[in-house]
Structure formats: C-alpha cells, structure tokens
Amino acid sequence: MAAETAGPKPGTAAWWLAREDEPARQRRRRSLTLEAILDASMTLLDTGGAAALTMRNLAEALGCTQASLYRHVRNREELVTLLVDRALDVASSAPPEDADWAGKAAWSARLFREHLLRHPGVASLLRGTERLGPNSLAGVQYSLELFIGAGLGPRLASAASSALATFVIGSVHFNLGLDVSDSEESRHRRLLYRSRDASALPLLVEHADVLSEVGSDDVFEAGLTALLTGFRVLIEREGGTRD
Amino acid sequence: MAAETAGPKPGTAAWWLAREDEPARQRRRRSLTLEAILDASMTLLDTGGAAALTMRNLAEALGCTQASLYRHVRNREELVTLLVDRALDVASSAPPEDADWAGKAAWSARLFREHLLRHPGVASLLRGTERLGPNSLAGVQYSLELFIGAGLGPRLASAASSALATFVIGSVHFNLGLDVSDSEESRHRRLLYRSRDASALPLLVEHADVLSEVGSDDVFEAGLTALLTGFRVLIEREGGTRD
DNA sequence: ACCTGAACACCGTTCAAGT
DNA sequence: ACCTGAACACCGTTCAAGT
C-alpha cells in the first residue's frame, strides 16, 4: 500500500487531520484563495447543477487557469469534499425550545432536508459519507446531545444519529430522481402500474391509483416518524442501560 | 418542453411504458444483443467498479465498435437504468416461513443490503430512484404484501416500503464510503475526535473511543430495527384504518 | 518563486463514408 | 440495410517553459 505517496484520501479522518497540521497554505498577496474557489464552486453548483462543476468552468469563472486551481486543491475529489462540508452549515436556526428530543430531531431533519432540496447540486454530490468535516462534526455533536439526553448510551446514540442522517440523505436522493414537479410522471406511473400482469403483481394493479400518488414527502415523513418512534421505544424499553 | 423529440428520460414511467410498446428492436442474425451488452457491463462493473463502465471498455470487451452500442441503447444513462434493474434480481431465496411480517422485512432488507455490498459497482450507480423496472416492481409487490398484510392501508404501506428501501440504499452508500475494512481509518477517527475543541464539541471528545468504533453494520441494524419498530407501533395504534 | 499554455489520456456521442 | 473509422466537444490532470 504505497498510499502514503499521494497522501490520504480526501474525506478520511487521516486527511482531515493532515489538513490542519499544514501551515496555512497561502499567504499569497491577494491572488486566488481557497475560499474564492469554494464560493465560485457553490455558485456553479446552484446555477448549473453538478455537471457544471468542472475545473474549466471554475477557472473561467475565477479568471484564472485550470492549473492554478491545483495549487489550492490536490484533486477534484478534494474540492468536492471541502465543498460538501461547507454546504452542510445549516444549523443556523434553532429548533423550538418547548419540543422534546424527538420533536427537535424531527425539526432538524426537516430543516436539513429542505436545505439540501434547495441546493440539488450539492445534494447530488453527497455520498452520505462525509461526516468528519467541521460542519458535519457540529451536526454530530448536536445529534448526540439529543439522543444521549433522551437516555441512549453513546454507542446507540451514535448509531441512531448516523441512521437518521443516512435516511435523510437517502430520501433527498430519492426526491431528486423522482421529478415530483412533473405531474405527467404520476399519470404515467398510474398507467404503468395498471398495465402490469395482475397475476404476478396483484397489489400494484389493484392499488395503482393510490401508489402513483405517493410522493417523496410522504415517504420522508413516514420514515422519519417511524425511525423516531422506534428510537423512543428503544429508550423506554431499555432505558439506555445496555450501552 | 421539446422533450418529446428525444423521447422520455430513461427510468421514468413513460420510458418504461414506451419501451414495451416497441416491436422487439432486434431480430438480428446473431450479432450484438442487448443481453450481451448488459452481461458485459455487469462484468466490467464487478471487476473494475463504476469507473470501468465506459463505452470504450464495453466495446472492447464485446469486440465491437463504440458506435454499435448505440444501436441497442440510446444513452449511457439508458444502459445504466437497464443494468440497475437487472441487478436488483435478488429475490431468489425466500425468507423463513415462521417469521412475522417484520421478521420477513428485516430478512429481506439484510439480503438486499448484502447483495449490494457484494456488487459495489452496481450500488454506486444506484441513485435510489429506480423503482419502476420489472425487478424493482417485483420487490415493491413483495413489500406491499408484507405491510398490507400486517394491517397498513395501501398508501402507508407504499410509503413505508419506499422508506425502507431508501434507508437500505442510503446505508449501502454510507458503507461504500466508509472503508470499514481499513482499521487505520478507525484509529485516525479516534485521533480526530479526541483532538477537537472540547468546549465546542464536548460529546465527541468525551466519547471519542466509542464513536470511532461504531461501524456501518451498527448503523444499519439500529436504523432497521427502529424503522420496523416504528411501523409496528403505527399498526398497533391505528390498525391501518386511517388510510 | 510563481504562474501558465499546451499538451496528455481519457470521456460520451455522432455521422459521413464504406460494405 | 447494416456497420464502422474517425472525428467532435468535452473531461481531469500534468509539466515544461516562461516571467
């Protein structure tokens, strides 16, 4: 494993660690900044989607050459890693004080989801793996507060927190591909279900109308409620003592 | 919207519908088959990961020219759509007969997850959106059987089924990025947590050792149990009458 | 010491030209 | 009627050569 030659893979703990040990890479006069690169990336992403985030577009937007970008970033992958963590800075508004832990968790999950849906370009870069950048860690801390506060031990609290994040990100991906806005798709889906072989797929044929109307919001809310209910039951049942 | 000119987008209901109306595209003697293309694609995917699935590699593996591929497939996207549904053919082994609906659902979810983990190339192409191909529909039918049989109405059953699939796929993505096999990463993660600012992220610092040990299996099992428990509570509480 | 132009080795896709 | 060679317009990345 000569992985050391090129340094650790972007996004890994080793990479984040190595990153802060470096003496700030740039004391350049006023030339290109990493900040400026990330800003421009975000704009590209929000404007033209993930496909628009190319090194060429980025260089053009910044008025520099492609090669200059590699002075601040080793890889496109590294760029994406930094970008995604930055885009996770969403904890600006705090949940209602009078809610219990589950209410707060639900509130935060919805906020997170809406944020991602507002930035589909970012969401499509999210592989669900980025959990170690500063913004992600702040989210983990908050999540742990809720679950540990509710009575779970740290191990279960951590698993629960990750499971919740996994579900939120997964359902945003689900959303992105579904084109909810397109009412034609719902109509076609009904036609598709209806025309299946009723002996092989009886429930699809029978409930074609209902099935074609179930949207990603319904899926998200159903899953979110179930997850939190499940955790609540776990807490009541075991009191978190098992950890 | 001159979308009709190029036909519906691969993966949409309209696309699947249009596909079966076509008179079977090929009666060619014994030349290139769509089946052969899909087989070769799967091999490439399992061998070299998603990055290896290029039209050039595919043509080379099949001993034909790139352009020939476009005779059977309009797009790379179309290829991927067909491929992914084909790879979802996993319902070969049936769950234990004596389990209740939740036991069967858990069994199937684990089976699905393991299948995807065995084919990471396929999994990384899964956007969580492909739910309309023949194999996906068979999975939906099975899922609906379980949830409707357990007492949910068709709408909630559909949402629950999609939520479960969303979670499974999301957690596989989570897995793929985590490199569980790499024990170095766990060590580095512990270092990372430990070295955070204890006043800003107290729980991360305090539970660094435990947190760095929580793996994707734990996350999956915690989420799966919570989801199914949540659905069970919903069923007991409402009896499915609300649908 | 810094930056860049120009190239390299790849992509997916198209289409005139061959058979 | 079928297939293909060769190109097109893109990628991310590198590096000798300039200043």
Side-chain angles (χ1 to χ4, degrees):
Chain A
M1 293 298 166
E4 241 62 10
T5 59
K9 193 172 156 250
T12 60
W15 180 81
W16 282 109
L17 278 168
R19 183 145 250 277
E20 20 191 74
D21 287 347
E22 280 178 25
R25 286 201 208 186
Q26 44 204 349
R27 334 175 177 271
R28 215 67 65 263
R29 278 284 151 225
R30 66 171 102 183
S31 62
L32 199 55
T33 333
L34 179 58
E35 280 304 301
I37 294 182
L38 294 178
D39 283 342
S41 302
M42 201 67 92
T43 305
L44 278 177
L45 229 42
D46 284 340
T47 306
L53 183 63
T54 72
M55 304 308 264
R56 278 170 175 81
N57 287 347
L58 208 43
E60 192 186 14
L62 289 162
C64 71
T65 172
Q66 291 177 240
S68 315
L69 299 172
Y70 288 87
R71 197 154 272 286
H72 302 81
V73 146
R74 196 206 316 155
N75 259 348
R76 185 174 183 275
E77 190 188 354
E78 200 173 87
L79 174 71
V80 168
T81 302
L82 292 169
L83 194 57
V84 162
D85 182 75
R86 154 185 276 227
L88 257 38
D89 179 21
V90 65
S92 43
S93 45
E97 275 299 333
D98 56 335
D100 69 341
W101 67 269
K104 287 179 182 168
W107 198 90
S108 298
R110 292 196 185 96
L111 192 72
F112 185 30
R113 175 170 179 256
E114 282 152 20
H115 178 70
L116 290 179
L117 289 179
R118 242 176 284 121
H119 302 279
V122 174
S124 67
L125 293 177
L126 252 185
R127 302 259 58 183
T129 250
E130 309 79 355
R131 222 143 282 193
L132 301 176
N135 282 321
S136 304
L137 290 185
V140 172
Q141 161 74 26
Y142 177 71
S143 218
L144 287 179
E145 274 172 30
L146 286 186
F147 284 114
I148 291 180
L152 285 180
R155 164 167 271 116
L156 270 176
S158 166
S161 145
S162 289
L164 187 54
T166 295
F167 175 71
V168 175
I169 293 171
S171 66
V172 169
H173 285 159
F174 186 81
N175 240 1
L176 258 47
L178 262 194
D179 252 72
V180 204
S181 57
D182 188 5
S183 70
E184 280 295 277
E185 175 67 5
S186 162
R187 196 172 61 79
H188 286 135
R189 207 146 53 209
R190 191 162 58 241
L191 288 177
L192 183 70
Y193 291 140
R194 274 198 189 142
S195 59
R196 291 312 90 186
D197 175 12
S199 66
L201 307 172
L203 292 172
L204 293 189
V205 176
E206 183 185 351
H207 299 112
D209 292 6
V210 172
L211 295 185
S212 63
E213 277 168 1
V214 175
S216 28
D217 287 348
D218 303 304
V219 173
F220 174 72
E221 286 299 330
L224 179 62
T225 308
L227 269 175
L228 293 177
T229 303
F231 293 140
R232 172 171 281 136
V233 169
L234 183 69
I235 291 168
E236 286 168 359
R237 206 176 278 165
E238 317 208 6
T241 47
R242 280 242 286 166
D243 211 60
Chain B
M1 293 299 170
E4 240 61 10
T5 59
K9 194 174 155 246
T12 60
W15 180 82
W16 283 108
L17 279 169
R19 185 145 247 279
E20 17 191 79
D21 288 346
E22 279 179 27
R25 286 201 208 187
Q26 43 204 349
R27 335 174 174 270
R28 215 69 64 260
R29 279 281 152 228
R30 64 170 104 182
S31 63
L32 200 55
T33 333
L34 179 57
E35 280 304 302
I37 295 181
L38 294 179
D39 283 343
S41 303
M42 201 69 91
T43 305
L44 278 177
L45 229 41
D46 283 340
T47 306
L53 182 63
T54 71
M55 303 308 264
R56 276 171 176 78
N57 288 347
L58 208 42
E60 193 186 12
L62 289 163
C64 70
T65 172
Q66 292 178 240
S68 315
L69 298 172
Y70 289 87
R71 198 156 271 287
H72 303 81
V73 145
R74 197 205 315 157
N75 259 346
R76 185 175 184 275
E77 192 188 354
E78 201 174 86
L79 174 71
V80 168
T81 303
L82 292 169
L83 194 57
V84 162
D85 181 74
R86 152 185 275 229
L88 256 39
D89 179 18
V90 66
S92 42
S93 46
E97 274 300 331
D98 55 334
D100 68 340
W101 66 269
K104 287 178 182 168
W107 198 88
S108 299
R110 291 195 187 98
L111 191 71
F112 185 29
R113 173 168 179 259
E114 282 154 19
H115 177 70
L116 289 179
L117 289 179
R118 243 176 283 123
H119 302 279
V122 174
S124 68
L125 292 178
L126 252 184
R127 299 260 59 182
T129 247
E130 308 81 355
R131 222 143 282 193
L132 301 176
N135 283 321
S136 305
L137 291 185
V140 173
Q141 161 73 28
Y142 177 72
S143 220
L144 287 179
E145 273 171 31
L146 285 186
F147 285 114
I148 290 181
L152 285 180
R155 162 166 272 115
L156 270 176
S158 166
S161 145
S162 289
L164 187 54
T166 295
F167 175 71
V168 174
I169 293 172
S171 67
V172 168
H173 285 158
F174 186 81
N175 240 0
L176 258 47
L178 263 193
D179 251 73
V180 204
S181 57
D182 187 6
S183 70
E184 279 295 277
E185 174 68 5
S186 162
R187 196 172 63 78
H188 285 133
R189 207 146 54 209
R190 190 162 57 243
L191 287 177
L192 183 71
Y193 291 140
R194 272 198 190 141
S195 59
R196 291 314 89 186
D197 174 13
S199 67
L201 306 172
L203 292 172
L204 293 189
V205 176
E206 183 184 351
H207 299 112
D209 292 5
V210 172
L211 294 186
S212 63
E213 278 169 1
V214 175
S216 28
D217 286 348
D218 303 303
V219 174
F220 175 72
E221 287 299 330
L224 179 62
T225 308
L227 269 175
L228 293 177
T229 303
F231 292 141
R232 172 171 279 137
V233 169
L234 183 68
I235 291 167
E236 286 167 359
R237 207 176 274 164
E238 318 208 6
T241 47
R242 281 241 287 163
D243 209 57

